[in-house]
Amino acid sequence: MRAFRVTESGTAPALVEIARPEPGPGEILVRVAACGLNFADLLMIEGSYQDTPPLPFTLGMEVAGVVEALGPGVTEPAVGARVAGFAGHGGLAEFCVIEAGRAVALPDAMGMEAAAGFVVAYGTSHLALAHRARLRAGERLLVLGAAGGVGLTAVELGSAMGAEVIAVARGEEKLAVAKAAGARHLIDSGAGDLRGALKALGGVDVVYDAVGGEGFDAALRATRPEGRILCIGFASGTVPQIPANLLLVKNVTVMGVYWGGYLRFAPEVVTGSLAEVMGWQAEGRIRPHVSAVYPLEEAGAALALLRARKSTGKVVIRL
């Protein structure tokens, strides 16, 4: 089969021919129809992601497709079922093996490309907002990087949960996408003085930060007493150094959210969260936003788009 693969550290991934994998105990083999790209794929290429697999490996964390075969001991999902699932890696290939428990059935009306960009982004945001921050209706939610793959889902889910959403992104085009997803207040991250803009709005209760850097510092100082700050990632490349004295005097909580970690120590939290948010999708309460679709042959260009931060929502590879 064809696979987009990292063969050596520090070298660009390439499309190569490798043997088709076979599902082991507790696993299923999926004929991949689409694969969603994530910022973590870029980190894996660099070898800096916390779950980078040993070389050589195939990129692609999340897939949508049709169940091709079942491994020993697996009875469901059935062969032929349409599913989406989290593979961790291996999704940028014609076939991918994933754990059966990480696959979710797709609603009939949900297309493969939308499904491929659903699991990680919506899973991360729903778990962060509902399970970790316990976001309540009427609270003010700040989303940094609001037009990105996970950020846009945080805007959409926060709005669906009744929060007053402030979206921070760079440029009118990205802010327009965030507004369409439910943001009530829009702030251009390139305009300067984010802290002042947030203070002028009266501060925030919950911060969703997938960017890090200066935005985190401004958000911390604009967070209201008993506010919660969710550390999702550090797309800026700068990991914030948190002054503990501010947490003390402001009565603020900073919490990390690594969605993939829950698959190891509390998988039932992930499956319950995904079931709820997939139900919202079936009801039409949320609408996945895919801004670009590339064929497998152009996966390198798709990753370059992600690296340049020129995309909104998800970038998906179609097989």
Side-chain angles (χ1 to χ4, degrees), residues 50 57 93 177:
Q50 60 263 26
F57 63 89
V177 172

Side-chain angles (χ1 to χ4, degrees), residues 113-204:
E113 291 163 12
F118 190 93
V119 173
V120 172
Y122 281 97
T124 296
S125 292
H126 185 265
L127 187 146
L129 296 175
H131 178 73
R132 292 290 275 149
R134 308 290 182 185
L135 179 67
R136 298 183 295 270
E139 288 192 308
R140 184 169 288 158
L141 168 66
L142 168 65
V143 181
L144 302 174
V150 292
L152 192 61
T153 62
V155 171
E156 190 177 15
L157 292 176
S159 178
M161 295 167 72
E164 179 184 340
V165 180
I166 304 170
V168 177
R170 185 175 293 273
E172 293 183 4
E173 182 180 351
K174 290 187 175 183
L175 289 173
V177 172
K179 181 178 181 180
R184 192 178 307 180
H185 307 282
L186 307 174
I187 300 176
D188 191 327
S189 60
D193 195 16
L194 175 59
R195 178 186 178 184
L198 295 174
K199 288 280 191 179
L201 288 172
V204 299

Side-chain angles (χ1 to χ4, degrees), residues 91-103:
L92 281 175
E94 292 172 319
F95 293 90
C96 176
V97 166
I98 64 175
E99 293 181 21
R102 296 183 180 183

